[in-house]
Short mmCIF file of all heavy atoms in Angstrom, two decimals:
data_model
loop_
_atom_site.label_atom_id
_atom_site.label_comp_id
_atom_site.label_asym_id
_atom_site.label_seq_id
_atom_site.Cartn_x
_atom_site.Cartn_y
_atom_site.Cartn_z
N ALA A 5 2.38 10.80 2.35
CA ALA A 5 3.58 11.58 2.63
C ALA A 5 3.48 12.22 3.99
O ALA A 5 2.40 12.60 4.44
CB ALA A 5 3.74 12.66 1.57
N SER A 8 2.77 17.46 3.13
CA SER A 8 2.12 17.63 1.84
C SER A 8 3.13 18.18 0.85
O SER A 8 4.02 18.93 1.21
CB SER A 8 0.93 18.59 1.96
OG SER A 8 1.36 19.84 2.45
N LEU A 49 9.83 30.65 9.86
CA LEU A 49 11.10 30.11 9.41
C LEU A 49 10.94 29.39 8.08
O LEU A 49 9.91 28.79 7.82
CB LEU A 49 11.66 29.12 10.45
CG LEU A 49 12.15 29.72 11.78
CD1 LEU A 49 12.52 28.58 12.72
CD2 LEU A 49 13.35 30.63 11.55
N LEU A 56 15.94 21.82 10.61
CA LEU A 56 17.21 21.79 11.33
C LEU A 56 17.00 22.03 12.82
O LEU A 56 17.61 21.35 13.66
CB LEU A 56 18.14 22.86 10.74
CG LEU A 56 19.52 22.98 11.41
CD1 LEU A 56 20.28 21.67 11.30
CD2 LEU A 56 20.31 24.12 10.79
N ALA A 68 20.00 14.07 26.68
CA ALA A 68 19.64 14.29 28.08
C ALA A 68 19.02 13.04 28.69
O ALA A 68 19.32 12.66 29.82
CB ALA A 68 18.65 15.47 28.18
N ARG A 71 21.71 10.36 29.20
CA ARG A 71 22.56 10.70 30.36
C ARG A 71 21.84 10.40 31.66
O ARG A 71 22.42 9.87 32.60
CB ARG A 71 22.96 12.18 30.27
CG ARG A 71 23.91 12.62 31.37
CD ARG A 71 24.30 14.08 31.18
NE ARG A 71 25.19 14.52 32.22
CZ ARG A 71 26.49 14.34 32.22
NH1 ARG A 71 27.05 13.72 31.20
NH2 ARG A 71 27.23 14.78 33.22
N ALA A 73 19.34 8.24 32.08
CA ALA A 73 19.14 6.79 32.22
C ALA A 73 20.42 6.09 32.60
O ALA A 73 20.41 5.07 33.28
CB ALA A 73 18.59 6.21 30.91
N ASP A 82 14.75 4.62 53.45
CA ASP A 82 13.43 5.26 53.49
C ASP A 82 12.62 4.95 52.24
O ASP A 82 11.40 4.74 52.31
CB ASP A 82 13.57 6.78 53.65
CG ASP A 82 14.07 7.17 55.04
OD1 ASP A 82 13.92 6.33 55.97
OD2 ASP A 82 14.58 8.29 55.20
N VAL A 115 -7.12 -40.75 53.73
CA VAL A 115 -7.01 -42.19 53.94
C VAL A 115 -8.36 -42.71 54.41
O VAL A 115 -8.89 -42.23 55.42
CB VAL A 115 -5.94 -42.52 55.00
CG1 VAL A 115 -5.82 -44.03 55.19
CG2 VAL A 115 -4.59 -41.91 54.62
N LYS A 123 -22.94 -57.92 58.14
CA LYS A 123 -24.35 -58.26 57.91
C LYS A 123 -24.53 -58.91 56.55
O LYS A 123 -25.55 -59.55 56.30
CB LYS A 123 -25.21 -57.00 58.01
CG LYS A 123 -25.21 -56.37 59.40
CD LYS A 123 -26.09 -55.15 59.43
CE LYS A 123 -26.10 -54.51 60.82
NZ LYS A 123 -26.96 -53.30 60.86
N ASN A 124 -23.58 -58.73 55.69
CA ASN A 124 -23.68 -59.30 54.35
C ASN A 124 -22.29 -59.75 53.91
O ASN A 124 -21.61 -59.09 53.12
CB ASN A 124 -24.25 -58.27 53.37
CG ASN A 124 -24.45 -58.83 51.98
OD1 ASN A 124 -24.44 -60.06 51.79
ND2 ASN A 124 -24.61 -57.96 51.00
N LEU A 150 -1.42 -45.22 63.19
CA LEU A 150 -1.69 -46.65 63.24
C LEU A 150 -3.17 -46.91 63.47
O LEU A 150 -3.75 -47.82 62.85
CB LEU A 150 -0.84 -47.30 64.33
CG LEU A 150 -1.05 -48.81 64.55
CD1 LEU A 150 -0.79 -49.59 63.26
CD2 LEU A 150 -0.16 -49.30 65.68
N THR A 162 -6.52 -41.15 48.65
CA THR A 162 -6.86 -40.20 47.59
C THR A 162 -5.85 -39.07 47.63
O THR A 162 -5.72 -38.37 48.64
CB THR A 162 -8.27 -39.63 47.76
OG1 THR A 162 -9.21 -40.71 47.84
CG2 THR A 162 -8.63 -38.73 46.59
N ALA A 164 -3.86 -35.47 46.24
CA ALA A 164 -4.33 -34.10 46.06
C ALA A 164 -4.93 -33.86 44.69
O ALA A 164 -5.84 -33.04 44.54
CB ALA A 164 -3.18 -33.12 46.31
N LEU A 190 0.32 -44.26 41.60
CA LEU A 190 0.77 -42.92 41.94
C LEU A 190 0.34 -41.90 40.89
O LEU A 190 0.22 -42.24 39.70
CB LEU A 190 2.30 -42.88 42.06
CG LEU A 190 2.94 -43.88 43.04
CD1 LEU A 190 4.45 -43.71 43.03
CD2 LEU A 190 2.38 -43.70 44.43
N LEU A 194 3.93 -36.71 41.58
CA LEU A 194 3.73 -36.78 43.03
C LEU A 194 4.75 -35.90 43.73
O LEU A 194 5.95 -35.98 43.46
CB LEU A 194 3.86 -38.23 43.51
CG LEU A 194 3.61 -38.47 45.00
CD1 LEU A 194 2.21 -38.02 45.39
CD2 LEU A 194 3.82 -39.93 45.34
N GLN A 195 4.28 -35.06 44.62
CA GLN A 195 5.15 -34.13 45.31
C GLN A 195 5.23 -34.48 46.79
O GLN A 195 4.28 -34.27 47.54
CB GLN A 195 4.63 -32.69 45.15
CG GLN A 195 5.51 -31.65 45.82
CD GLN A 195 5.02 -30.24 45.54
OE1 GLN A 195 4.50 -29.96 44.47
NE2 GLN A 195 5.19 -29.36 46.51
N ILE A 248 4.20 -33.11 70.73
CA ILE A 248 3.98 -31.67 70.58
C ILE A 248 2.52 -31.37 70.95
O ILE A 248 1.61 -32.05 70.49
CB ILE A 248 4.22 -31.21 69.12
CG1 ILE A 248 5.64 -31.56 68.68
CG2 ILE A 248 3.96 -29.72 68.96
CD1 ILE A 248 5.85 -31.42 67.17
N GLN A 249 2.32 -30.39 71.80
CA GLN A 249 0.97 -29.94 72.13
C GLN A 249 0.70 -28.62 71.39
O GLN A 249 1.52 -27.71 71.42
CB GLN A 249 0.80 -29.72 73.62
CG GLN A 249 -0.57 -29.18 74.03
CD GLN A 249 -0.62 -28.75 75.49
OE1 GLN A 249 0.14 -29.29 76.32
NE2 GLN A 249 -1.47 -27.80 75.82
N MET A 266 5.79 -22.59 59.71
CA MET A 266 5.44 -21.55 58.75
C MET A 266 6.24 -21.64 57.45
O MET A 266 5.94 -20.93 56.49
CB MET A 266 5.65 -20.17 59.37
CG MET A 266 4.65 -19.85 60.48
SD MET A 266 2.92 -19.84 59.91
CE MET A 266 2.36 -21.45 60.46
N ILE A 289 -6.87 -28.73 72.67
CA ILE A 289 -5.56 -29.37 72.78
C ILE A 289 -5.46 -30.51 71.78
O ILE A 289 -6.30 -31.41 71.77
CB ILE A 289 -5.29 -29.90 74.20
CG1 ILE A 289 -5.15 -28.73 75.18
CG2 ILE A 289 -4.02 -30.75 74.23
CD1 ILE A 289 -4.93 -29.17 76.61
#
Side-chain angles (χ1 to χ4, degrees):
S8 58
L49 290 174
L56 179 61
R71 184 178 179 83
D82 289 339
V115 181
K123 295 181 180 180
N124 183 15
L150 178 57
T162 305
L190 304 180
L194 183 59
Q195 181 175 327
I248 302 168
Q249 177 190 332
M266 291 299 101
I289 293 178

